[in-house]
Amino acid sequence: IQFQQMLSDAKRGYFDVLFVKDVSRFARNTVDSLESVRMLKEHNVDIVFINNQGILETSSELMFTIMSAMAQEESVNMSKRVKFGKKQNAYKGKVPNIVYGYDKIPGEYYSLHINEDEAEVVRRIFRMYVEDGMGCLAIAKSLNNEGLRTKRGASWSQNAISRIIRNQIYIGKVINGKEATKEIYSNKREACDQSEWIIVENEALRLVEDDLFEKAQCMLNGRFDAFHMTGERHNNRY
């Protein structure tokens, strides 16, 4: 966004010189770099690459293209290394930084510690949903009335309760790889197919039994299907 703002300001004549730390910091790929440089030159903006002074002149498109291509290749290789490292951490069972019911010590990638007070609230949520027949919104209102807050200190919402009920970490399953960046030159994350998820069993993290969890999933999916079939919210005695 800021890069596009800079290009827009250049077209308006807001500045005459652009200082760039390094070619690799200028754009994500060679094509974008070259197009941006041409646009800036058309609007009489000089570009100074600080780390490449004496080597690179923007008037030399050949040299600039070569160095941009080298920077692009390094960026691709770095992206591959980062993705490989993340996948290895996922196979080891890397846990989330913030998840209700647990505490995490900074720097510990693979372990969570059960927060007993929050864990009891999680168990209550499942019991209220399955045994008492309360909907997610009703449960959220009940917890808010008790003065309870989420891990981030916010009020409970229908979506927050739904996420609790769907989270398999409460039956000792750590899931990574639900989303990934599909394009090398984009930060946009997309949902991955369930077959691509990396699931690691960690029984020490279990807060609810499988039977209770499965009943909650069936009820949640049933209410979701009913809502989308009828277009009406599923009501109950609460």
Short mmCIF file of all heavy atoms in Angstrom, two decimals, residues 60-87:
data_model
loop_
_atom_site.label_atom_id
_atom_site.label_comp_id
_atom_site.label_asym_id
_atom_site.label_seq_id
_atom_site.Cartn_x
_atom_site.Cartn_y
_atom_site.Cartn_z
N SER A 60 20.78 2.64 -16.73
CA SER A 60 21.20 1.39 -17.36
C SER A 60 20.19 0.31 -17.04
O SER A 60 20.27 -0.36 -16.01
CB SER A 60 22.60 0.98 -16.87
OG SER A 60 22.92 -0.30 -17.36
N GLU A 61 19.24 0.11 -17.93
CA GLU A 61 18.19 -0.88 -17.69
C GLU A 61 18.74 -2.29 -17.65
O GLU A 61 18.24 -3.15 -16.93
CB GLU A 61 17.09 -0.76 -18.74
CG GLU A 61 16.14 0.40 -18.52
CD GLU A 61 14.84 0.24 -19.30
OE1 GLU A 61 14.72 -0.73 -20.07
OE2 GLU A 61 13.96 1.09 -19.12
N LEU A 62 19.79 -2.56 -18.44
CA LEU A 62 20.36 -3.90 -18.47
C LEU A 62 20.91 -4.28 -17.10
O LEU A 62 20.59 -5.35 -16.56
CB LEU A 62 21.47 -3.98 -19.53
CG LEU A 62 22.22 -5.32 -19.58
CD1 LEU A 62 21.27 -6.47 -19.88
CD2 LEU A 62 23.35 -5.25 -20.61
N MET A 63 21.74 -3.41 -16.52
CA MET A 63 22.32 -3.69 -15.21
C MET A 63 21.24 -3.77 -14.14
O MET A 63 21.27 -4.64 -13.27
CB MET A 63 23.35 -2.62 -14.85
CG MET A 63 24.04 -2.87 -13.51
SD MET A 63 24.93 -4.44 -13.46
CE MET A 63 26.27 -4.08 -14.60
N PHE A 64 20.29 -2.85 -14.23
CA PHE A 64 19.21 -2.86 -13.24
C PHE A 64 18.40 -4.15 -13.33
O PHE A 64 18.03 -4.74 -12.31
CB PHE A 64 18.29 -1.65 -13.46
CG PHE A 64 17.13 -1.60 -12.51
CD1 PHE A 64 17.31 -1.18 -11.20
CD2 PHE A 64 15.86 -1.99 -12.91
CE1 PHE A 64 16.24 -1.14 -10.30
CE2 PHE A 64 14.79 -1.95 -12.03
CZ PHE A 64 14.98 -1.53 -10.73
N THR A 65 18.12 -4.60 -14.55
CA THR A 65 17.35 -5.84 -14.73
C THR A 65 18.11 -7.04 -14.18
O THR A 65 17.53 -7.91 -13.53
CB THR A 65 17.04 -6.06 -16.23
OG1 THR A 65 16.32 -4.94 -16.74
CG2 THR A 65 16.22 -7.32 -16.42
N ILE A 66 19.42 -7.08 -14.42
CA ILE A 66 20.23 -8.19 -13.93
C ILE A 66 20.21 -8.23 -12.40
O ILE A 66 20.00 -9.29 -11.79
CB ILE A 66 21.69 -8.08 -14.44
CG1 ILE A 66 21.73 -8.31 -15.95
CG2 ILE A 66 22.59 -9.07 -13.72
CD1 ILE A 66 23.09 -8.05 -16.58
N MET A 67 20.42 -7.07 -11.78
CA MET A 67 20.45 -7.03 -10.31
C MET A 67 19.07 -7.31 -9.72
O MET A 67 18.95 -7.94 -8.67
CB MET A 67 21.01 -5.68 -9.85
CG MET A 67 22.43 -5.44 -10.28
SD MET A 67 23.22 -4.05 -9.44
CE MET A 67 23.41 -4.70 -7.79
N SER A 68 18.03 -6.85 -10.38
CA SER A 68 16.67 -7.14 -9.91
C SER A 68 16.38 -8.62 -9.99
O SER A 68 15.74 -9.20 -9.10
CB SER A 68 15.64 -6.35 -10.74
OG SER A 68 15.77 -4.98 -10.52
N ALA A 69 16.84 -9.25 -11.08
CA ALA A 69 16.63 -10.70 -11.24
C ALA A 69 17.37 -11.47 -10.16
O ALA A 69 16.85 -12.47 -9.62
CB ALA A 69 17.10 -11.14 -12.63
N MET A 70 18.57 -11.03 -9.83
CA MET A 70 19.34 -11.69 -8.76
C MET A 70 18.63 -11.53 -7.42
O MET A 70 18.54 -12.47 -6.62
CB MET A 70 20.75 -11.10 -8.70
CG MET A 70 21.60 -11.43 -9.91
SD MET A 70 23.18 -10.53 -9.92
CE MET A 70 23.93 -11.15 -8.41
N ALA A 71 18.11 -10.33 -7.16
CA ALA A 71 17.38 -10.08 -5.92
C ALA A 71 16.11 -10.91 -5.87
O ALA A 71 15.73 -11.44 -4.81
CB ALA A 71 17.05 -8.59 -5.79
N GLN A 72 15.44 -11.04 -7.02
CA GLN A 72 14.22 -11.84 -7.09
C GLN A 72 14.51 -13.30 -6.77
O GLN A 72 13.78 -13.94 -6.02
CB GLN A 72 13.60 -11.73 -8.48
CG GLN A 72 12.41 -12.64 -8.71
CD GLN A 72 11.87 -12.54 -10.12
OE1 GLN A 72 11.63 -11.45 -10.61
NE2 GLN A 72 11.67 -13.67 -10.76
N GLU A 73 15.59 -13.85 -7.33
CA GLU A 73 15.94 -15.24 -7.09
C GLU A 73 16.27 -15.48 -5.62
O GLU A 73 15.88 -16.50 -5.04
CB GLU A 73 17.13 -15.63 -7.96
CG GLU A 73 17.49 -17.11 -7.91
CD GLU A 73 16.38 -17.99 -8.44
OE1 GLU A 73 15.53 -17.50 -9.21
OE2 GLU A 73 16.34 -19.19 -8.08
N GLU A 74 16.97 -14.54 -5.01
CA GLU A 74 17.28 -14.67 -3.59
C GLU A 74 16.01 -14.62 -2.75
O GLU A 74 15.87 -15.36 -1.77
CB GLU A 74 18.23 -13.55 -3.16
CG GLU A 74 18.53 -13.52 -1.67
CD GLU A 74 19.13 -14.82 -1.16
OE1 GLU A 74 19.77 -15.55 -1.94
OE2 GLU A 74 18.94 -15.12 0.05
N SER A 75 15.07 -13.76 -3.16
CA SER A 75 13.79 -13.68 -2.44
C SER A 75 13.03 -14.99 -2.54
O SER A 75 12.44 -15.46 -1.56
CB SER A 75 12.95 -12.53 -3.02
OG SER A 75 11.69 -12.47 -2.39
N VAL A 76 13.05 -15.60 -3.73
CA VAL A 76 12.37 -16.89 -3.92
C VAL A 76 13.00 -17.97 -3.05
O VAL A 76 12.31 -18.74 -2.39
CB VAL A 76 12.41 -17.31 -5.40
CG1 VAL A 76 11.93 -18.75 -5.57
CG2 VAL A 76 11.56 -16.37 -6.25
N ASN A 77 14.33 -18.01 -3.02
CA ASN A 77 15.03 -19.02 -2.23
C ASN A 77 14.77 -18.82 -0.73
O ASN A 77 14.61 -19.79 0.01
CB ASN A 77 16.53 -18.97 -2.50
CG ASN A 77 16.88 -19.45 -3.90
OD1 ASN A 77 16.14 -20.26 -4.48
ND2 ASN A 77 17.97 -18.97 -4.46
N MET A 78 14.75 -17.56 -0.31
CA MET A 78 14.47 -17.28 1.09
C MET A 78 13.05 -17.71 1.46
O MET A 78 12.82 -18.29 2.53
CB MET A 78 14.65 -15.78 1.38
CG MET A 78 14.43 -15.42 2.84
SD MET A 78 14.70 -13.66 3.16
CE MET A 78 16.46 -13.54 2.79
N SER A 79 12.10 -17.45 0.56
CA SER A 79 10.72 -17.87 0.79
C SER A 79 10.63 -19.38 0.93
O SER A 79 9.92 -19.89 1.81
CB SER A 79 9.83 -17.39 -0.36
OG SER A 79 8.51 -17.84 -0.20
N LYS A 80 11.36 -20.10 0.11
CA LYS A 80 11.36 -21.57 0.18
C LYS A 80 11.94 -22.04 1.51
O LYS A 80 11.42 -22.99 2.12
CB LYS A 80 12.15 -22.15 -0.99
CG LYS A 80 11.47 -21.99 -2.34
CD LYS A 80 12.33 -22.57 -3.45
CE LYS A 80 11.65 -22.42 -4.81
NZ LYS A 80 12.49 -22.94 -5.92
N ARG A 81 13.01 -21.39 1.96
CA ARG A 81 13.63 -21.77 3.23
C ARG A 81 12.69 -21.52 4.40
O ARG A 81 12.58 -22.34 5.31
CB ARG A 81 14.95 -21.02 3.43
CG ARG A 81 16.06 -21.44 2.49
CD ARG A 81 17.40 -20.90 2.94
NE ARG A 81 17.47 -19.46 2.87
CZ ARG A 81 17.91 -18.79 1.80
NH1 ARG A 81 18.29 -19.45 0.71
NH2 ARG A 81 17.96 -17.47 1.80
N VAL A 82 11.99 -20.37 4.35
CA VAL A 82 11.05 -20.05 5.42
C VAL A 82 9.91 -21.05 5.45
O VAL A 82 9.51 -21.55 6.52
CB VAL A 82 10.50 -18.62 5.24
CG1 VAL A 82 9.34 -18.37 6.20
CG2 VAL A 82 11.60 -17.59 5.49
N LYS A 83 9.36 -21.38 4.28
CA LYS A 83 8.26 -22.35 4.22
C LYS A 83 8.70 -23.72 4.70
O LYS A 83 7.95 -24.42 5.39
CB LYS A 83 7.73 -22.45 2.78
CG LYS A 83 6.92 -21.24 2.35
CD LYS A 83 6.35 -21.42 0.95
CE LYS A 83 5.47 -20.23 0.56
NZ LYS A 83 4.92 -20.39 -0.81
N PHE A 84 9.93 -24.11 4.34
CA PHE A 84 10.45 -25.40 4.80
C PHE A 84 10.56 -25.42 6.33
O PHE A 84 10.17 -26.39 6.98
CB PHE A 84 11.82 -25.67 4.18
CG PHE A 84 12.47 -26.93 4.66
CD1 PHE A 84 12.09 -28.16 4.13
CD2 PHE A 84 13.44 -26.91 5.65
CE1 PHE A 84 12.68 -29.34 4.58
CE2 PHE A 84 14.03 -28.07 6.10
CZ PHE A 84 13.66 -29.30 5.57
N GLY A 85 11.08 -24.33 6.89
CA GLY A 85 11.21 -24.25 8.34
C GLY A 85 9.87 -24.30 9.04
O GLY A 85 9.71 -24.97 10.07
N LYS A 86 8.87 -23.60 8.48
CA LYS A 86 7.53 -23.61 9.08
C LYS A 86 6.92 -25.00 9.03
O LYS A 86 6.25 -25.43 9.97
CB LYS A 86 6.63 -22.61 8.36
CG LYS A 86 6.95 -21.16 8.67
CD LYS A 86 5.95 -20.22 7.99
CE LYS A 86 6.21 -18.78 8.40
NZ LYS A 86 5.26 -17.84 7.76
N LYS A 87 7.15 -25.70 7.91
CA LYS A 87 6.59 -27.05 7.79
C LYS A 87 7.23 -28.00 8.79
O LYS A 87 6.55 -28.85 9.39
CB LYS A 87 6.78 -27.57 6.36
CG LYS A 87 6.19 -28.94 6.12
CD LYS A 87 6.08 -29.27 4.64
CE LYS A 87 4.93 -28.51 4.01
NZ LYS A 87 4.65 -28.97 2.63
#
